Amino acid sequence: MDHLQLVSLLFLILMFPLTNKANVNGPPSPGYYPSRRIGSTEFDQVCTNLWGPQHQTLDQGTLTIWLDINSGSGFKSLSPYSSGYFGASVKLQSGYTAGVITSFYLSNNEDYPGNHDEIDIEFLGTTEDKPYVLQTNVYNRGSGDGSNIIGREVKFNLWFDPAKDFHNYAIFWDPDEIVRYPRKNDDSFPSRPMWVYGSIWDASSWATENGKYKADYSYQPFVSQYNNFKISGCDPNSPVQCRPVSDHPSRSGGMSRHQNAAMAWVQNNYKVYDYCQDILRDHSFTPEC
């Protein structure tokens, strides 16, 4: 299996049920959705505000966070996890959102400042005539800290409008793999417990076409919404036999033929950047390439 198969979508396409409605222009059905084995959880049962409380509201199960010229906002899970399935439905803002990032991710940056691990899903804001970009990333043991930044970015243009409705996104992480990103050694795989986070913030310096377009606060507030949280994981004190829900219908590990076909459709049609294919990068720091 080549590196494209292993890492191109990383953990992304356990967002297979990207849309809650049939889409004739979308990917072929993966057949099996791991999220169907996990019940939805109310936000305040698993998460709490982390920063920007005045820019965060919870109404009938939907969390709304927003960014204006004064502040953004973020949330964090009540507990850390050592593995699991972490999902939410997200609705983004339409129109001009350049420079603005909405995220859903795992991290232990507060526990290990300067030496943290992270698994990211990030929606990179855009101009009105271009699609949102979804970026996935993995950092390990400080590779995203300070001057020692070794990211594993993969970017996709979304083939649907993520501002028209809620769509489902998830990270699947177990001790051996982040979907399509296998554990080869401790130096390239995050294995310490992490917390679930979400946020909206200004990343004008790089988010949209490498910083070409900045956040324009004449369009404020920039609003994102989350609901349908599906968080099922092993906490650091769980018994050794604790295992997250499987990504395969038979729990045999790996992905099914239908899941692989759905992933290949996205890779072939909508991937716009792959760190392993970037000839300007030093791949001695990314041995999986």
Side-chain angles (χ1 to χ4, degrees), residues 11-35:
F11 42 83
L12 171 60
I13 293 297
L14 281 177
M15 75 169 196
F16 272 137
L18 271 171
T19 177
N20 297 324
K21 299 177 181 179
N23 180 1
V24 295
N25 297 315
S29 171
Y32 166 72
Y33 299 90
S35 62

Tab-separated table of all heavy atoms in Angstrom, residues 11-35:
chain	number	residue	atom	x	y	z
A	11	PHE	N	-7.356	10.686	8.819
A	11	PHE	CA	-8.536	10.252	9.537
A	11	PHE	C	-9.804	10.816	8.948
A	11	PHE	O	-10.886	10.600	9.458
A	11	PHE	CB	-8.453	10.772	10.974
A	11	PHE	CG	-7.954	12.171	11.006
A	11	PHE	CD1	-8.800	13.225	10.795
A	11	PHE	CD2	-6.608	12.409	11.154
A	11	PHE	CE1	-8.317	14.512	10.744
A	11	PHE	CE2	-6.120	13.701	11.105
A	11	PHE	CZ	-6.971	14.752	10.910
A	12	LEU	N	-9.708	11.570	7.857
A	12	LEU	CA	-10.816	12.411	7.418
A	12	LEU	C	-12.072	11.649	7.049
A	12	LEU	O	-13.163	12.018	7.431
A	12	LEU	CB	-10.363	13.252	6.230
A	12	LEU	CG	-11.438	14.043	5.492
A	12	LEU	CD1	-12.099	15.013	6.440
A	12	LEU	CD2	-10.829	14.775	4.327
A	13	ILE	N	-11.957	10.598	6.285
A	13	ILE	CA	-13.185	10.033	5.750
A	13	ILE	C	-13.798	9.017	6.698
A	13	ILE	O	-14.410	8.078	6.300
A	13	ILE	CB	-12.969	9.476	4.341
A	13	ILE	CG1	-12.682	10.638	3.419
A	13	ILE	CG2	-14.176	8.788	3.786
A	13	ILE	CD1	-13.820	11.630	3.281
A	14	LEU	N	-13.688	9.260	7.986
A	14	LEU	CA	-14.781	8.798	8.826
A	14	LEU	C	-15.691	9.976	8.996
A	14	LEU	O	-16.504	10.050	9.886
A	14	LEU	CB	-14.293	8.188	10.119
A	14	LEU	CG	-13.838	6.775	9.802
A	14	LEU	CD1	-13.257	6.090	11.012
A	14	LEU	CD2	-14.981	5.939	9.281
A	15	MET	N	-15.543	10.911	8.097
A	15	MET	CA	-16.603	11.855	7.826
A	15	MET	C	-17.310	11.363	6.571
A	15	MET	O	-17.882	12.122	5.832
A	15	MET	CB	-16.054	13.274	7.623
A	15	MET	CG	-15.383	13.518	6.318
A	15	MET	SD	-15.077	15.273	6.071
A	15	MET	CE	-14.768	15.284	4.330
A	16	PHE	N	-17.279	10.059	6.292
A	16	PHE	CA	-17.964	9.510	5.130
A	16	PHE	C	-19.388	10.027	4.991
A	16	PHE	O	-19.789	10.418	3.914
A	16	PHE	CB	-18.008	7.991	5.212
A	16	PHE	CG	-16.818	7.329	4.607
A	16	PHE	CD1	-16.222	6.277	5.255
A	16	PHE	CD2	-16.307	7.748	3.395
A	16	PHE	CE1	-15.124	5.637	4.693
A	16	PHE	CE2	-15.211	7.127	2.838
A	16	PHE	CZ	-14.627	6.066	3.493
A	17	PRO	N	-20.198	10.024	6.076
A	17	PRO	CA	-21.538	10.568	5.912
A	17	PRO	C	-21.478	12.089	5.882
A	17	PRO	O	-22.017	12.773	6.733
A	17	PRO	CB	-22.284	10.059	7.142
A	17	PRO	CG	-21.225	9.874	8.168
A	17	PRO	CD	-19.992	9.463	7.414
A	18	LEU	N	-20.769	12.623	4.896
A	18	LEU	CA	-20.534	14.062	4.841
A	18	LEU	C	-21.814	14.855	4.780
A	18	LEU	O	-21.891	15.965	5.262
A	18	LEU	CB	-19.698	14.388	3.595
A	18	LEU	CG	-18.203	14.343	3.811
A	18	LEU	CD1	-17.488	14.462	2.484
A	18	LEU	CD2	-17.760	15.454	4.724
A	19	THR	N	-22.789	14.313	4.159
A	19	THR	CA	-24.050	15.037	4.053
A	19	THR	C	-25.169	14.191	4.614
A	19	THR	O	-25.134	12.970	4.527
A	19	THR	CB	-24.348	15.419	2.598
A	19	THR	OG1	-25.626	16.062	2.548
A	19	THR	CG2	-24.382	14.221	1.681
A	20	ASN	N	-26.129	14.833	5.185
A	20	ASN	CA	-27.275	14.118	5.733
A	20	ASN	C	-28.329	13.842	4.680
A	20	ASN	O	-29.366	13.268	4.945
A	20	ASN	CB	-27.892	14.944	6.873
A	20	ASN	CG	-26.915	15.106	8.020
A	20	ASN	OD1	-26.151	14.199	8.310
A	20	ASN	ND2	-26.942	16.268	8.659
A	21	LYS	N	-28.087	14.295	3.466
A	21	LYS	CA	-29.025	14.074	2.364
A	21	LYS	C	-28.292	13.408	1.212
A	21	LYS	O	-27.092	13.540	1.059
A	21	LYS	CB	-29.600	15.420	1.909
A	21	LYS	CG	-30.364	16.159	3.008
A	21	LYS	CD	-30.839	17.514	2.522
A	21	LYS	CE	-31.573	18.268	3.632
A	21	LYS	NZ	-32.017	19.601	3.196
A	22	ALA	N	-29.034	12.689	0.397
A	22	ALA	CA	-28.414	12.035	-0.750
A	22	ALA	C	-27.824	13.087	-1.683
A	22	ALA	O	-28.388	14.147	-1.898
A	22	ALA	CB	-29.458	11.205	-1.497
A	23	ASN	N	-26.666	12.773	-2.244
A	23	ASN	CA	-25.988	13.707	-3.141
A	23	ASN	C	-25.511	12.931	-4.349
A	23	ASN	O	-24.562	12.167	-4.271
A	23	ASN	CB	-24.807	14.366	-2.410
A	23	ASN	CG	-24.061	15.348	-3.291
A	23	ASN	OD1	-24.424	15.574	-4.451
A	23	ASN	ND2	-23.017	15.944	-2.739
A	24	VAL	N	-26.171	13.144	-5.478
A	24	VAL	CA	-25.837	12.359	-6.661
A	24	VAL	C	-24.438	12.692	-7.158
A	24	VAL	O	-23.849	11.922	-7.908
A	24	VAL	CB	-26.865	12.599	-7.784
A	24	VAL	CG1	-28.233	12.095	-7.369
A	24	VAL	CG2	-26.941	14.086	-8.152
A	25	ASN	N	-23.905	13.836	-6.750
A	25	ASN	CA	-22.564	14.215	-7.168
A	25	ASN	C	-21.516	13.876	-6.119
A	25	ASN	O	-20.361	14.259	-6.249
A	25	ASN	CB	-22.525	15.728	-7.456
A	25	ASN	CG	-23.437	16.116	-8.605
A	25	ASN	OD1	-23.449	15.459	-9.624
A	25	ASN	ND2	-24.209	17.171	-8.417
A	26	GLY	N	-21.933	13.192	-5.079
A	26	GLY	CA	-21.026	12.879	-3.991
A	26	GLY	C	-20.327	11.556	-4.190
A	26	GLY	O	-20.450	10.904	-5.227
A	27	PRO	N	-19.569	11.120	-3.180
A	27	PRO	CA	-18.805	9.878	-3.284
A	27	PRO	C	-19.706	8.660	-3.275
A	27	PRO	O	-20.855	8.730	-2.832
A	27	PRO	CB	-17.931	9.919	-2.024
A	27	PRO	CG	-18.728	10.718	-1.047
A	27	PRO	CD	-19.408	11.775	-1.869
A	28	PRO	N	-19.212	7.527	-3.758
A	28	PRO	CA	-19.987	6.291	-3.633
A	28	PRO	C	-20.167	5.942	-2.165
A	28	PRO	O	-19.365	6.340	-1.316
A	28	PRO	CB	-19.100	5.258	-4.355
A	28	PRO	CG	-17.721	5.836	-4.306
A	28	PRO	CD	-17.892	7.317	-4.389
A	29	SER	N	-21.226	5.240	-1.863
A	29	SER	CA	-21.507	4.901	-0.468
A	29	SER	C	-20.400	4.021	0.106
A	29	SER	O	-19.971	3.055	-0.532
A	29	SER	CB	-22.839	4.161	-0.362
A	29	SER	OG	-23.008	3.645	0.945
A	30	PRO	N	-19.945	4.322	1.321
A	30	PRO	CA	-18.960	3.457	1.968
A	30	PRO	C	-19.581	2.191	2.542
A	30	PRO	O	-18.875	1.303	3.001
A	30	PRO	CB	-18.402	4.341	3.081
A	30	PRO	CG	-19.551	5.222	3.434
A	30	PRO	CD	-20.253	5.507	2.130
A	31	GLY	N	-20.911	2.126	2.528
A	31	GLY	CA	-21.589	0.932	3.019
A	31	GLY	C	-21.753	0.903	4.515
A	31	GLY	O	-22.849	0.706	5.029
A	32	TYR	N	-20.685	1.112	5.246
A	32	TYR	CA	-20.700	1.012	6.708
A	32	TYR	C	-20.278	2.351	7.298
A	32	TYR	O	-19.278	2.929	6.895
A	32	TYR	CB	-19.751	-0.096	7.165
A	32	TYR	CG	-19.442	-0.069	8.652
A	32	TYR	CD1	-20.403	-0.438	9.587
A	32	TYR	CD2	-18.180	0.311	9.112
A	32	TYR	CE1	-20.121	-0.425	10.950
A	32	TYR	CE2	-17.881	0.311	10.466
A	32	TYR	CZ	-18.856	-0.049	11.380
A	32	TYR	OH	-18.573	-0.026	12.722
A	33	TYR	N	-21.069	2.852	8.243
A	33	TYR	CA	-20.772	4.105	8.932
A	33	TYR	C	-20.508	3.810	10.409
A	33	TYR	O	-21.436	3.457	11.149
A	33	TYR	CB	-21.950	5.065	8.823
A	33	TYR	CG	-22.308	5.460	7.405
A	33	TYR	CD1	-23.233	4.725	6.668
A	33	TYR	CD2	-21.726	6.578	6.817
A	33	TYR	CE1	-23.564	5.092	5.379
A	33	TYR	CE2	-22.057	6.954	5.526
A	33	TYR	CZ	-22.973	6.213	4.810
A	33	TYR	OH	-23.297	6.579	3.531
A	34	PRO	N	-19.293	3.911	10.886
A	34	PRO	CA	-19.020	3.656	12.309
A	34	PRO	C	-19.869	4.513	13.239
A	34	PRO	O	-20.207	4.083	14.343
A	34	PRO	CB	-17.534	4.006	12.442
A	34	PRO	CG	-16.978	3.817	11.071
A	34	PRO	CD	-18.073	4.239	10.132
A	35	SER	N	-20.236	5.720	12.797
A	35	SER	CA	-21.000	6.621	13.665
A	35	SER	C	-22.355	6.041	14.044
A	35	SER	O	-22.943	6.451	15.061
A	35	SER	CB	-21.188	7.970	12.968
A	35	SER	OG	-21.927	7.813	11.769
